[in-house]
Amino acid sequence: MSGTFVIRFILIQNRAGKTRLAKWYMQFDDDEKQKLIEEVHAVVTVRDAKHTNFVEFRNFKIIYRRYAGLYFCICVDVTDNNLAYLEGIHNFVEVLNEYFHNVCELDLVFNFYKVYTVVDEMFLAGEIRETSQTKVLKQLLMLQSLE
Amino acid sequence: MALKIVKGSIDRMFDKNLQDLVRGIRNHKEDEAKYISTCIDEIKQELKQDNIAVKANAVCKLTYLQMLGYDVSWAAFNIVEVMSSSKFTYKRIGYLAASQCFHENTDVIMLTTNQIRKDLSSPNQYDTGVALTGLSCFVTPDLARDLANDIMTLMSHTKPYIRKKAVLIMYKVFLKYPESLRPAFPRLKEKLEDPDPGVQSAAVNVICELARRNPKNYLSLAPLFFKLMTSSTNNWVLIKIIKLFGALTPLEPRLGKKLIEPLTNLIHSTSAMSLLYECVNTVIAVLISLSSGMPNHSASIQLCVQKLRILIEDSDQNLKYLGLLAMSKILKTHPKSVQSHKDLILQCLDDKDESIRLRALDLLYGMVSKKNLMEIVKKLMIHVDKAEGTTYRDELLTKIIDICSQSNYQYITNFEWYISILVELTRLEGTRHGHLIASQMLDVAIRVKAIRAFAVAQMATLLDNAHLLTGNMQRNGICEVLYAAAWICGEFSEHLENPVQTLEAMLRPKVATLPGHIQAVYVQNAAKLFATILKNQEGNTDSTAAQETSQLMIDRLPLFVQSANLEVQERASCILQLVKYIQKLQQKDVEVAEEVSALFAGELNPVAPKAQKKVPVPEGLDLDAWINEPPSESESEDEQPKAIFTKEEPKHSRPRHTEVDEKELARRREARKQEQANNPFYIKASPSSQKVYQETPGVEHIPVVQIDLSVPLKVPGLPMSDQYVKLEEERRQKERAEKKKKEKKKRKEKRSGRGKKHDSGPESEEDITPAHVVDIVTEEMPENALPSDDDDKDPNDPHKALDIDLDNLLETTARRPLADSEKLPVRSHRAAGAPKSPAEDGEAENATPQEPKKKSSKEKRDKKKDKERDRKKSKEEKKKKKHKHEEKEEDLLGGQAEEPVVQSEETKEVEAQPTSTSAEVSDLDFWLSNAPVPSNTQEAATVAAAEAAPVPEAPAGTAADSEPDEPKDTETEESKSSKHKKKKQKKEKEEKEKKKKKKHHHHHHHSDGGGEESVQNGTVEEEEPLPPMSNYCLLAENSYIKMVCDIQGNLQDGSQVVVSVIFENKSDSFLKSMEFNVLDSLNSKLQRPEGSGPHDGLTVPFQLPPGVSNEARFVFTVQSIVMPQKLKGTLTFIVKNEDSSTHEKLDFKLHFTCTSYLITTPCYSDAFAKLLESGDLKSSSVRLEGVNMPFHHLLARICFHHHFSVVERIDSCASMYSRSIQGHHVCLLVKTSGQTVSIDAKCDEPTLLGNVLDEIKQTFSQC
């Protein structure tokens, strides 16, 4: 189970369980990935606003946050700081919002590769890499200009 | 060609792009799979085209499909194609696809190595960035090994953007290729002080993560992190560091003391909840590690508890949850501080979120005391009634039982109350935990003798009302309690008030619907009851009552005799016959009661669960010894090593088995199988069998009366636990009153006027006396039970595996100085598939004999360092205390920024040798003892004093020379030359940084000192540590640039030699347009790219910013390898300053020794012997005089510098083997006596052999 920093994977799913982003920082085979996606969906969508944003999940825990119809989930070690990753998710969503100018689910669908770029700019190898929104956005614009 | 392009672009017009695909999928919701399979077909067509744009589009679509869960592994090769596109847009798509689809077993990853390397060294930082990001997802051990050096170089990239990525990816590389940790660690550590905060935090992340898995190796970095913690304002970094400290403090309590203050400051000042939470957690960890109650820390605990209370009271569920979580950690060490918040925690039981309720339950478990147990359990029982959802209710149930039964029922003062709680719990609908309740009932009834009468009465009521429990077969989880009830009533039947009624209840026809194992207990205990009843009735004059009882048994038992359950059937028929016989005797007026009850005489005592395991082996019993001689006829066993015998010992130890031969055994086995198959009562597998019996139609036909469960479940005779709470309250009050009275009396009597010492304030734990004098029978253990309790460890803990992995990583590597074999492999000269047996070749990898060194300013430096090292060493030996004082001053003067770096290196490396550890760690000790904690300072100070650290002093660069010359021992002398070599390699990696620093600080000797120190404590081998060695030797040097090189043969191509040259920019200017050129000889030629002339130079594929070094490889073609040769060459380059640029050149001479043509090849001794016997080899020999080093050093040197491997070693004699790139065998027989070493050698090429031997001789003459 080794081979990564604390983040095991990042998932964005909608309420129906459609994957909008799946970034794996741990090696799983394809079947396992699908299984995980389904399990996360099952665990997360049954929870509502009165619940905490943390769920224990296998040997890990999932820190998630719901924005409109989308669930942003990060799977980390049990010992890790829940609040920090919760803030990390929010930070990520704010960057997406800025980058896509009022992001909506369809933006993520049609530009899924850009979303991966955003993830890669903010997280790397399972670790939070950049937290400054301005820096990330600047970098993203640079990358876009290369297209 | 043009047509093709046109065709391609026309095709494209009809291609779907990603948007089309996404829309298409959305429009085909009903037949998505079908739509996608047509899309995949299209994509396959697109991938067949030559147009890279089409391919990239196809791969992009595939990536999307992959995300949706479709298999795209078939396109792996196309992904590689797109990755290698030169256009960034496509490259990025390729890398994205690769990072999503590739995994360790993807074959094509092997093909990507060179492409990735190219991208990593691309001048475009975005290419590099995208390659790094991709690599982080699919790095394999092979990629990690091949690219480690490139990534390490990128850690010093000019762009922080790349540095940061490279640093983070290094962690991945470490995990996949642990050997890279040691070479890369110094640079990683430097990054902690990178000017860019982002890079800094990346380095913190990596080191924290490494340290978290294996804290003890990173303890020495504590001062550095401490400094970072107090200076950083980045919350993310702070969280990481604080978390790391949480892992370190258990190892070093003094660190904890030092931390408390800054952490409490942070707790007070920060507004970030995440940081606050981390601080609180670490403070708790610290306080736990300071196990002995430090009175002055109660304030910190109070602070934490207060802050947590604020979190718990917050309306934010997340904070509430985390507050409870952290609270439970405090609970373990400071239960009192938490108990005062009981009200708050009980409130949380009402929370809407189940996870919060569960956390609160966890807390309650630790909060109970004798005083509040009943109250808490009462609250919980209310929640049990209210709870929706069986999982939460079951959780409550287990928690109640856990809470009550913890520490051997420590907190229970009234067992009647507990039994009634258990009985109340049996009324839970649909619980899975009937078994748990049952085992509690049994445990209490057996172990608490005083409670048996009460328990039996309760159990009898339960049995009487069994229909309430079993009414619904759906809920049969709970019927497990009947098992306990029946057993208790039977076993302790003397306490029964109305045994006949209970007997009747146990023999009701409805019992037959219970699971088999419960029925069996019913039947058996009915017999026990029967015996008791007989005994009671025999005294009576009227014998009819007794006979009626017998008749009852005879009437009811046949039902059980027909049971499908073997156990029930057997017991029932047995007992039935017995009762029939008894009845006969009764009719003859014979007294039978005594004899019947003798069947069940004797008391059963509880046995501890591990008792069997703990029976000590009696003296003189050897479990491994043979009882009979082992069978000799079985040939397979004869060949097996002994270990196998002992494993199978139980089988053979039976003489019966040994006499029977295999055939007979097989025959019997077959017969037995046959028998079992034909026996309907043979239970093949217990879980399924039970099910089968329940489903047999017979069971269904038995009429089952359904009971309406809406009827209130209050059964007369069942006690309500609440009453006990009230009673207990009253009792305690009474007790208190009595006590007061007594005290008053006492006081009156004594009149000593001691003041109000016995003030009747809130009663303490000890004041509460149990309601009954309870004798809790402890579980029985065998005499002389072994005390060990190692069986509690969970071998399946996933983190344990992880831990070991990193343990290896660090312990086997991190403490040794860098040996040359550890250097990161660079570019392609690693012969793929070259057979290497690490066990044999040890340190040896690739070597060239030393060229006589060009002595320059460098040597001076070396000398200085040598001295310094000597000084250090002697210090270590003599423990000169006078230096200590100086050091202390040093520390106080600051320089903390530099100091810790050095310490860490030293401590880490020295730890390998336990004898010197304490001395080395003392610097950390000193740092720690600075902590303003009065209690321990003295101790710490003495420790520091006793273990004065021999740390090389920073400004003492010159002072070192003025030190009185210490007598150099031989060992030092010897390793000196090797040190030269070693240092070179190290320097290549470090020097540039050092130089940078040199301008500002004069601390650079520190890092050297660290490295030097390690020389003495080299590789830990079975004998003496080996000095580290390196094969890089100086090629040429001037004021701008230094070149060192290593020459190795290429096994794959018998005519190629690869020269790895490290270029190091020594100047302050930018070096560019470097061209490497060699004057070819007839025999050896530099391989030049196609189309270039024989005298053209090769462009070095990189530029060198000031202070940077990088490595390039050049391939030479060699015809004959039997002779060494020298090639003249020139390096030309442009030195670019801000205002000017000049052309410069540097001449060098490449020396191809014969050993550079040898390749370390393992050889087994039998193959070696055959080789020698073949007689094809010519022999030669050489004698070395005055070799003053341990034999294994000598061998290691030959292995390392001359690419040999040891075939076999016997005492002071060893055989060695190597092979040339053209397949010549070289065999050595090395013998030593005294200081003389003789080497007899054989080789199929005498010239080559002669030269190799000369080179070996030269190596040792330099020692």
Side-chain angles (χ1 to χ4, degrees), chain B residues 375-477:
Chain B
E375 186 195 342
I376 288 179
V377 171
K378 187 181 162 190
K379 289 247 165 72
L380 291 179
M381 291 301 283
I382 295 171
H383 281 281
V384 171
D385 287 343
K386 284 197 297 189
E388 322 155 346
T390 43
T391 28
Y392 178 58
R393 212 171 42 185
D394 279 355
E395 186 65 30
L396 270 171
L397 188 152
T398 44
K399 265 283 140 34
I400 290 174
I401 288 177
D402 280 355
I403 286 175
C404 293
S405 62
Q406 65 178 310
S407 348
N408 213 5
Y409 307 104
Q410 190 192 344
Y411 301 116
I412 295 185
T413 50
N414 187 332
F415 276 94
E416 285 189 14
W417 165 81
Y418 186 46
I419 293 279
S420 35
I421 288 285
L422 288 175
V423 172
E424 274 174 46
L425 286 175
T426 61
R427 285 178 236 152
L428 272 188
E429 226 177 301
T431 181
R432 292 180 291 115
H433 292 298
H435 185 73
L436 187 64
I437 302 174
S439 69
Q440 281 292 300
M441 286 172 170
L442 285 170
D443 199 36
V444 172
I446 294 169
R447 293 173 60 195
V448 186
K449 281 185 182 155
I451 203 68
R452 281 180 191 163
F454 180 80
V456 166
Q458 291 300 312
M459 294 306 123
T461 327
L462 260 187
L463 286 178
D464 226 14
N465 297 296
H467 55 280
L468 292 179
L469 303 174
T470 55
N472 189 343
M473 282 305 272
Q474 295 287 296
R475 311 179 305 147
N476 63 7

Side-chain angles (χ1 to χ4, degrees), chain A:
Chain A
M1 290 300 232
S2 69
T4 178
F5 281 103
V6 283
I7 303 179
R8 308 300 154 143
F9 54 81
I10 300 177
L11 276 184
I12 305 179
Q13 297 177 317
N14 66 9
R15 275 197 65 77
K18 279 260 183 275
T19 314
R20 293 304 173 216
L21 173 128
K23 186 82 195 174
W24 307 95
Y25 295 107
M26 213 170 132
Q27 302 225 334
F28 299 105
D29 57 37
D30 289 349
D31 296 342
E32 185 72 9
K33 284 181 186 174
Q34 284 311 310
K35 221 173 122 199
L36 280 167
I37 289 174
E38 281 158 27
E39 275 179 45
V40 170
H41 178 248
V43 170
V44 164
T45 41
V46 294
R47 300 171 67 87
D48 55 36
K50 69 178 187 227
H51 286 100
T52 55
N53 293 71
F54 326 123
V55 211
E56 279 168 31
F57 179 76
R58 299 194 179 183
N59 289 328
F60 313 109
K61 65 186 171 197
I62 286 176
I63 294 162
Y64 74 96
R65 204 156 180 158
R66 186 179 165 181
Y67 292 88
L70 287 180
Y71 289 89
F72 289 72
C73 311
I74 291 189
C75 178
V76 296
D77 272 0
V78 238
T79 52
D80 255 280
N81 190 318
N82 303 32
L83 296 174
Y85 287 99
L86 205 56
E87 284 165 33
I89 292 176
H90 191 65
N91 200 22
F92 174 53
V93 174
E94 281 181 348
V95 169
L96 284 180
N97 200 39
E98 193 68 28
Y99 183 56
F100 288 109
H101 307 292
N102 279 329
V103 67
C104 66
E105 188 177 342
L106 280 186
D107 286 327
L108 305 191
V109 178
F110 284 110
N111 299 293
F112 86 99
Y113 57 95
K114 286 187 187 166
V115 185
Y116 278 101
T117 318
V118 179
V119 171
D120 287 340
E121 284 305 310
M122 303 190 70
F123 304 91
L124 186 70
E127 191 49 68
I128 292 177
R129 194 190 85 197
E130 181 59 75
T131 52
S132 153
Q133 293 185 15
T134 39
K135 270 193 191 171
V136 173
L137 286 166
K138 208 176 119 199
Q139 206 58 247
L140 287 170
L141 292 179
M142 285 294 291
L143 285 170
Q144 202 162 21
S145 69
L146 291 173
E147 298 266 311

